[in-house]
Amino acid sequence: MKQRVLSGMRPTGPLHLGHLHGVLKNWLYLQEKYECFFFVADWHALTTEYENPSKIREFTKELLLEWFSVGIDPEKAVVFVQSDVKQHAELYLLLGMITPVPWLERNPTYKEMKENLKEKDLNTYGFLGYPVLQAADILIYKAQLVPVGIDQLPHLELTREIARRFNFLYQRDLFPEPQALLSEVSKIPGIDGRKMSKSYGNAIFINDPPDEVRKKILSFVTDTQRPRKSDPGDPEWRCVAFQLMKLYLSEYEKNEVVESCKKAELGCRECKQRFAEKVIASFAPIWERREKLLQQKDWYEKVKEGAKRAREIAQQTIEEVYATILSSP
Ligand code: SF4
């Protein structure tokens, strides 16, 4: 029997290259190997975007369309929207009863996000409690594996602690402790060198028109110690653009860029122009699939079917949870 994997994404903006290389490429691999549940985490988006719910609705549909365009296959994975499976909220409430508040307050992301998103009022119960909702998302399907980056390990540990506490309190091994599936891809840099993110305004979106992609790639930070073409560069250690470029070039092409950059034979403008064409060519099949999907009026039916399948499993878990709590000594 295949192991079960759960992963989700918040619908807070259009997909960019950070999502594509950091998350979705991994999902494409996972959907072939495991029983995957992929969901749009619209309730999680509400924890920070509660003042803009219309945007969440808009991005939820858009995100699903983009997932399917890059190759996420609802025939291979269960794809759904979190708020279509109300059992997540029910388990969230029950797990909230047993989760000590200091566990949530010590969550490193809690303080960090409050610090980074100063323009939003995040002094809410929902924001403090979002790791409990995350735990419910995972445990409701008894997922054995959760793909995470190294920085998200504390979140998963919290889910494991909540699962352990539930099993201990009610004297039954109901919830398996999910394991991390560490993803190997490092952070994708944006055009200014910081992590690619919509909120930093440094992202290349999958649906950017070709001219926009060219413009953004041309403004990518390169080797700052190389103001002129005649200065030798150091792509591996000093060029931000090259870190992204590496994902698009063959070994031969990579070596060629490194060599000609180090010998000061290749100018940054020309190098980035070539790179932009590679990115645009890689987007072409995604755009094509998107167009086809938009012509199929019933493309969203697969998401409804996914929610139905998810609800069946989630309901079974909720019944087990009540039975466990009520029969506890
Ligand atoms: S030539 Fe290319 S690899 Fe070298 S610094 Fe410029 S953009 Fe980077």
Side-chain angles (χ1 to χ4, degrees), residues 11 17 29 37 78 80 104 111 132 189-190 193 210 216 230 256 260 313:
L17 290 185
Y29 161 75
F37 284 66
V78 181
F80 62 98
L104 303 173
K111 288 185 194 140
V132 184
K216 285 182 176 175
S230 53
E256 204 184 24
S260 49
I313 297 167

Side-chain angles (χ1 to χ4, degrees), residues 297-309:
K297 295 243 169 351
D298 60 346
W299 72 268
Y300 198 80
E301 288 305 307
K302 295 283 175 198
V303 183
K304 290 187 189 162
E305 282 168 29
K308 188 167 171 269
R309 168 89 184 110

Side-chain angles (χ1 to χ4, degrees), residues 220-224 226 233-236 238-242 245 257-258 260-262 266-269 271-272:
F220 234 106
V221 177
T222 58
D223 183 343
T224 49
R226 193 187 180 216
D234 189 348
E236 285 284 6
R238 298 199 304 248
C239 177
V240 174
F242 186 72
M245 233 180 265
V257 168
V258 172
S260 49
C261 176
K262 282 185 166 171
L266 176 66
C268 290
R269 190 175 172 82
C271 182
K272 289 192 283 187

Side-chain angles (χ1 to χ4, degrees), residues 44-90:
H44 279 287
L46 260 185
T47 60
T48 54
E49 306 296 322
Y50 57 88
E51 286 173 304
N52 294 304
S54 63
K55 286 261 182 265
I56 296 175
R57 272 196 298 277
E58 180 190 322
F59 287 134
T60 292
K61 223 163 180 182
E62 179 58 27
L63 200 56
L64 288 158
L65 195 57
E66 289 176 328
W67 286 0
F68 292 163
S69 308
V70 302
I72 299 302
D73 185 347
E75 302 291 338
K76 293 178 181 165
V78 181
V79 178
F80 62 98
V81 178
Q82 185 184 28
S83 61
D84 284 339
V85 186
K86 307 290 186 236
Q87 289 84 351
H88 285 233
E90 206 170 347

Side-chain angles (χ1 to χ4, degrees), residues 33-195:
K33 201 164 172 227
Y34 298 101
E35 184 195 13
C36 290
F37 284 66
F38 298 139
F39 70 102
V40 179
D42 55 346
W43 280 336
H44 279 287
L46 260 185
T47 60
T48 54
E49 306 296 322
Y50 57 88
E51 286 173 304
N52 294 304
S54 63
K55 286 261 182 265
I56 296 175
R57 272 196 298 277
E58 180 190 322
F59 287 134
T60 292
K61 223 163 180 182
E62 179 58 27
L63 200 56
L64 288 158
L65 195 57
E66 289 176 328
W67 286 0
F68 292 163
S69 308
V70 302
I72 299 302
D73 185 347
E75 302 291 338
K76 293 178 181 165
V78 181
V79 178
F80 62 98
V81 178
Q82 185 184 28
S83 61
D84 284 339
V85 186
K86 307 290 186 236
Q87 289 84 351
H88 285 233
E90 206 170 347
L91 185 57
Y92 165 60
L93 180 138
L94 294 170
L95 296 179
M97 304 297 171
I98 66 162
T99 305
V101 174
W103 287 11
L104 303 173
E105 286 171 333
R106 75 171 189 225
N107 164 20
T109 326
Y110 175 64
K111 288 185 194 140
E112 198 185 303
M113 276 180 80
K114 268 175 79 172
E115 206 43 44
N116 288 344
L117 299 171
K118 278 213 170 85
E119 70 285 4
K120 295 182 199 288
D121 179 4
L122 296 181
N123 291 305
T124 58
Y125 166 70
F127 186 65
L128 177 69
Y130 84 86
V132 184
L133 182 56
Q134 270 179 343
D137 298 334
I138 299 167
L139 299 178
I140 195 93
Y141 302 106
K142 299 184 183 173
Q144 287 112 338
L145 298 166
V146 179
V148 286
I150 208 125
D151 52 337
Q152 296 158 320
L153 278 175
H155 283 148
L156 190 61
E157 194 45 43
L158 192 53
T159 295
R160 291 159 55 83
E161 280 175 313
I162 292 173
R164 271 200 294 276
R165 186 165 164 83
F166 182 96
N167 293 346
F168 171 75
L169 278 173
Y170 302 115
Q171 302 282 298
R172 185 181 166 194
D173 278 341
L174 182 66
F175 293 125
E177 288 181 36
Q179 306 294 319
L181 255 181
L182 275 178
S183 73
E184 284 170 20
V185 180
S186 53
K187 281 180 187 155
I188 305 298
I191 54 182
D192 59 359
R194 292 185 291 172
K195 182 187 171 193

